[in-house]
Amino acid sequence: MSRLESFIRRMTAQRVVLDAVSAEVSGMEGPILELGLGNGRTFDHLRERLPGRRIIAFDRALGAHPSSVPPEGDLVIGEIRETAARYAGIGAALVHADIGTGIEELDLKTLQWLPGLSASLLRPRGIAVSGLPLDHPDLAPLPLPEGVPAGRYFIYGKIG
């Protein structure tokens, strides 16, 4: 499969998953956290699906399209591992992390801290969505929406 085809499949799965979990968290208290703003496409999608919700985005540097930049106070620049850790206990309804690189060595390093960070940010029964698996004792895997192949995207609920 070409890298373009793989990207299209990943983005399609991401949209299906985010649409499904947006419906679940729409009535749940707590902010939405976007770990990895990138160009802002996912932030924009979440903003559209969850109007009026506070969405806090984290990234190493601002690279988003001007129409997809969070308002001041909701954009946190710096190393995500460090900056997002300052928000531990915030009680997020949703944590979305699409920060995988597709390079196994780099992703293995991210997986050393991302699962624990995600769990620390969520409220009880909050939802974590990730392009990488989040193996953590406080996170229980949830079923993927129909049409999303196993291993393409991951959904977890915070236990408690």
Side-chain angles (χ1 to χ4, degrees):
M1 171 185 326
S2 73
R3 290 185 63 229
L4 175 61
E5 188 63 32
S6 178
F7 176 77
I8 291 168
R9 288 182 181 187
R10 185 170 63 86
M11 291 297 98
T12 300
Q14 184 182 79
R15 183 186 63 213
V16 170
V17 167
L18 290 175
D19 287 351
V21 299
S22 290
E24 288 186 48
V25 302
S26 65
M28 191 182 294
E29 290 194 26
I32 309 302
L33 303 185
E34 175 75 83
L35 305 183
L37 177 62
N39 61 28
R41 281 188 298 254
T42 305
F43 168 80
D44 185 56
H45 191 74
L46 287 169
R47 181 173 56 183
E48 184 177 287
R49 294 295 184 266
L50 296 163
R53 290 298 286 270
R54 182 177 186 203
I55 303 172
I56 305 170
F58 300 81
D59 214 325
R60 289 184 181 136
L62 179 59
H65 186 276
S67 68
S68 298
V69 175
E72 192 168 329
D74 289 341
L75 174 62
V76 183
I77 300 295
E79 288 299 318
I80 295 169
R81 177 183 185 177
E82 298 165 9
T83 58
R86 295 182 206 137
Y87 288 75
I90 194 170
L94 172 64
V95 171
H96 174 247
D98 185 20
I99 57 176
T101 65
I103 301 169
E104 186 176 359
E105 304 82 46
L106 295 176
D107 289 346
L108 286 173
K109 288 180 182 179
T110 300
L111 286 172
Q112 291 175 6
W113 56 266
L114 182 60
L117 175 63
S118 298
S120 77
L121 297 168
L122 286 170
R123 60 170 282 136
R125 295 187 306 277
I127 297 176
V129 174
S130 177
L132 295 171
L134 301 177
D135 184 23
H136 191 274
D138 292 338
L139 300 174
L142 297 175
L144 291 167
E146 187 174 324
V148 177
R152 176 57 71 177
Y153 231 74
F154 304 89
I155 307 173
Y156 300 87
K158 175 140 184 207
I159 299 169

